[in-house]
Amino acid sequence: MTFSRAIKIAPSILSADFANFGAECEAIEAQGADWVHVDVMDGHFVPNLTFGPATCAAIRKHIKGVMDVHLMIAPVDPYIDAFAQAGADVLTAHLEAGPHIHRTLQAIRAHGIKAGLAINPGTGIESVTELLDMVDLICVMTVNPGFGGQKFITSQVSKVQRLRQMIGDRPIHIEIDGGITPETAPLVAAAGADVLVAGSGVFKGGSVTNPAPYGENIRAIRAAAEAAR
């Protein structure tokens, strides 16, 4: 992964056809996706259950680019090895998921993969200051984690602006997760984000057998974000 602040679209397979994950991953990449975002939920840290390391390992062979794995689980540390072995390129843990986030980030990086730090809408960025030299990506949640299809929380845009100033010239991606559409993408792109996670915003209107709408949605989000820069 070469660092770049160019806009990257990362469709969330939470909105894909669960019976066709491999084909869905191939379809979104063929239609222009930069990263494939995998939302891992445990029914404990967030009120939903999705998939584990076995699913990540199964879809890895269908992904040519970056597999971006977002762990919405607590505890995190016991599962880092399994998700690293499953082929994650980026492994993101939540600041709120445990008392020793610095140790968690160390453990992720020890596997030679990129370490991400996610923060919920109700979390301030003060604690992030102490972790900037440990992270490769900061994921700002613009919905409360747990479900796809939620409404974008506009108050998080100022958080992105402050994070961008805090990061300075460090090679750290700012990722946005939640409610990304051609209408909301410009707000966060202008504020300094470069990785945009979109679930229903990408998958709506299309299917494995009719993937063209995926490409139309990806291009619309990318164009809106790039125009705002």
Side-chain angles (χ1 to χ4, degrees):
M1 286 176 61
T2 305
F3 182 80
S4 162
R5 294 202 194 279
I7 294 293
K8 289 164 284 295
I9 309 300
S12 166
I13 62 168
L14 191 63
S15 296
D17 177 357
F18 279 28
N20 284 295
F21 270 152
E24 289 276 47
C25 291
E26 291 173 6
I28 54 176
E29 284 195 325
Q31 292 294 327
D34 301 289
W35 294 10
V36 175
H37 189 82
V38 185
D39 285 310
V40 175
M41 305 182 187
D42 64 357
H44 167 69
F45 180 66
V46 293
N48 197 4
L49 259 176
T50 57
F51 9 82
T55 303
C56 291
I59 64 173
R60 175 72 258 192
K61 63 177 79 73
H62 298 277
I63 299 171
K64 294 177 182 170
V66 172
M67 186 163 78
D68 175 32
V69 179
H70 179 188
L71 300 179
M72 286 170 267
I73 65 175
V76 177
D77 294 6
Y79 301 98
I80 290 171
D81 289 358
F83 281 103
Q85 289 167 17
D89 296 295
V90 182
L91 200 53
T92 296
H94 269 259
L95 177 68
E96 308 88 358
H100 305 297
I101 188 64
H102 189 281
R103 179 187 294 156
T104 300
L105 295 169
Q106 280 181 318
I108 294 171
R109 285 189 143 193
H111 284 280
I113 59 180
K114 303 294 185 186
L117 176 69
I119 49 176
N120 285 336
T123 300
I125 62 171
E126 297 74 23
S127 300
V128 175
T129 310
E130 303 300 325
L131 300 166
L132 286 176
D133 294 326
M134 293 296 301
V135 297
D136 302 287
L137 176 148
I138 298 172
C139 175
V140 177
M141 296 299 300
T142 44
V143 299
N144 285 294
F147 296 98
Q150 296 184 72
K151 192 167 184 275
F152 181 86
I153 301 173
T154 311
S155 64
Q156 301 305 295
V157 175
S158 64
K159 183 188 288 185
V160 177
Q161 292 171 329
R162 286 177 284 129
L163 264 177
R164 185 68 197 84
Q165 291 173 346
M166 187 188 289
I167 287 168
D169 60 1
R170 293 177 180 86
I172 299 173
H173 297 289
I174 298 179
E175 179 175 75
I176 306 298
D177 189 353
I180 289 296
T181 66
E183 291 69 46
T184 57
L187 303 176
V188 291
D194 63 288
V195 183
L196 307 182
V197 176
S200 48
V202 165
F203 285 96
K204 67 180 180 186
S207 67
V208 168
T209 54
N210 177 32
Y214 298 167
E216 294 164 12
N217 295 333
I218 288 169
R219 288 189 293 275
I221 293 169
R222 191 190 307 278
E226 288 176 345
R229 285 187 147 186

